């Protein structure tokens, strides 16, 4: 679906990867690491200074019109609609551009308008809309033609939680239908919920590309377990803990999940005392990105 071969452009340096069809990829990294450049190269808005980019077996900058009919690209800093026209009239123009039959357009348009919540202001001109309203309509327009490839650059900026939830549901549905998703965002919760693979850019270099769970084990392996117990204090001396704290009958354990599992900890403690309640919390993608930003060095296992 998407191939980068030794690609250089602006800060991007010697980027190599292959994104198969149907994959949901989260593009993450510190600000200025090349995420938006990556997306613009993919859809042909930029031409590589060196190396080659192929999207759906086509050279993007030479086939923008052909790819445009199969690709939906959203950039937070790029206007999607004509300002003077209403939301509805902008959609009607897209119907003509995409050559959609009336019944198909009506079905897609009204479903998206209801789920993303722009039906209530469809008669208003775009210039009168708030940022959140504009975003909801723009994302609906992106999804209208059911593109095979969706590229999103900070898509949830300006959206309230209801709209974010609706967008997440729509993207998950498209993913299940075989659509390829590439999402660049600083919202690690959204990335983690939708994406199965991660591409981690750091100062233009591809530091990691692969399964999300492997990245978490690599950069953010810490987990926290809180245990309420009744009985004697368990002996923790032989456990590979980073640290622990005790307050009355509540234990808080921090540990590296690569070295010991939560099940192993529970078995050890259950053998010594009675546990009344347990909660666990894993580190997330935010912690992984923070460690990259702090310049911490890690080696893959």
């Amino acid at each position: 679906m998407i191939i980068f071969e030794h690609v250089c452009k602006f800060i991007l340096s010697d980027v190599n990867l292959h994104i198969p069809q149907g994959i949901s990829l989260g593009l993450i990294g510190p600000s200025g690491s090349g995420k938006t450049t990556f997306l613009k190269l993919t859809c042909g808005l930029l031409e590589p200074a060196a190396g080659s980019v192929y999207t759906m077996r086509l050279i993007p900058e030479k086939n923008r019109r052909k790819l445009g009919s199969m690709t939906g690209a959203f950039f937070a800093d790029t206007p999607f609609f004509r300002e003077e026209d209403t939301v509805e009239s902008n959609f009607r123009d897209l119907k003509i551009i995409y050559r959609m039959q009336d019944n198909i357009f009506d079905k897609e348009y009204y479903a998206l308008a209801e789920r993303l919540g722009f039906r209530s202001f469809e008669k208003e001109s775009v210039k009168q809309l708030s940022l959140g309203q504009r975003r909801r309509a723009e994302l609906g327009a992106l999804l209208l033609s059911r593109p095979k490839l969706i590229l999103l650059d900070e898509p949830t900026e300006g959206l309230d939680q209801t709209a974010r939830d609706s967008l997440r549901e729509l993207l998950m549905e498209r993913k299940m239908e075989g659509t390829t998703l590439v999402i660049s965002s600083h919202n690690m919760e959204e990335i983690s919920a939708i994406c199965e693979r991660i591409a981690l850019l750091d100062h233009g270099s591809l530091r990691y590309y692969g399964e999300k769970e492997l990245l978490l084990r690599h950069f953010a392996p810490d987990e926290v377990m809180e245990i309420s117990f009744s009985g004697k204090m368990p002996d923790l001396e032989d456990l590979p803990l980073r640290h622990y704290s005790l307050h009355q009958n509540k234990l808080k354990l921090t540990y590296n999940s690569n070295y010991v599992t939560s099940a192993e900890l529970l078995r050890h403690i259950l053998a010594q005392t009675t546990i009344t309640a347990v909660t666990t919390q894993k580190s997330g993608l935010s912690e992984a990105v923070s460690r990259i930003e702090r310049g911490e060095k890690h080696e893959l296992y």
Side-chain angles (χ1 to χ4, degrees), residues 25-214:
L25 174 72
L27 191 60
I28 67 173
S31 296
S33 59
K35 300 187 296 296
T36 300
T37 299
F38 181 98
L39 294 177
K40 289 185 175 180
L41 286 165
T42 300
C43 64
L45 291 176
L46 290 175
E47 181 178 356
S52 301
V53 177
Y54 301 95
T55 301
M56 301 185 199
R57 301 182 179 179
L58 300 172
I59 299 174
E61 69 273 13
K62 295 181 179 179
N63 295 275
R64 286 181 57 186
R65 178 172 295 182
K66 188 172 183 178
L67 282 175
S69 64
M70 301 181 287
T71 302
F74 172 85
F75 296 94
D77 60 352
T78 303
F80 207 91
F81 290 139
R82 289 191 308 279
E83 296 279 313
E84 301 296 327
D85 292 342
T86 66
V87 170
E88 185 180 34
S89 64
N90 272 286
F91 269 88
R92 296 289 173 187
D93 288 343
L94 290 175
K95 170 181 175 289
I96 296 171
I97 292 171
Y98 295 142
R99 299 179 181 179
M100 299 178 71
Q101 297 179 6
D102 290 344
N103 61 329
I104 294 176
F105 171 80
D106 289 344
K107 177 183 177 181
E108 296 293 337
Y109 173 74
Y110 291 117
L112 290 167
E114 290 297 331
R115 296 184 67 175
L116 289 172
F118 58 85
R119 185 75 185 273
S120 61
F121 52 84
E122 65 180 358
K123 303 295 185 182
E124 297 183 30
S125 65
V126 172
K127 67 180 180 181
Q128 294 176 324
L129 303 181
S130 68
L131 175 61
Q133 290 174 325
R134 184 190 295 244
R135 283 286 181 270
R136 281 183 272 165
E138 289 173 335
L139 290 165
L142 177 85
L143 297 170
L144 179 67
S145 65
R146 293 187 170 267
K148 297 179 180 179
L149 170 64
I150 294 176
L151 307 172
L152 299 172
D153 188 29
E154 299 295 342
T156 59
E157 182 181 331
L159 295 182
D160 60 23
Q161 192 57 52
T162 299
R164 290 184 181 192
D165 292 342
S166 296
L167 176 62
R168 181 189 301 180
E169 290 173 3
L170 283 163
L171 292 177
M172 292 295 289
E173 290 171 11
R174 298 297 171 89
K175 172 185 171 183
M176 294 296 293
E177 294 169 1
T179 303
T180 304
L181 307 176
V182 183
I183 306 171
S184 169
S185 177
H186 287 95
N187 189 323
M188 295 299 102
E189 180 184 351
E190 300 293 338
I191 290 289
S192 188
I194 298 171
C195 300
E196 59 197 305
R197 287 193 190 182
I198 299 295
L200 176 59
L201 290 171
D202 181 30
H203 294 90
S205 297
L206 187 63
R207 288 286 299 276
Y208 176 84
Y209 173 58
E211 298 297 322
K212 175 179 62 183
E213 293 305 320
L214 178 58

Side-chain angles (χ1 to χ4, degrees), residues 240-253:
L241 302 175
R242 290 198 185 277
H243 56 79
Y244 73 89
S245 61
L246 175 66
H247 179 67
Q248 295 179 348
N249 65 331
K250 294 184 178 180
L251 269 173
K252 184 176 182 179
L253 313 176

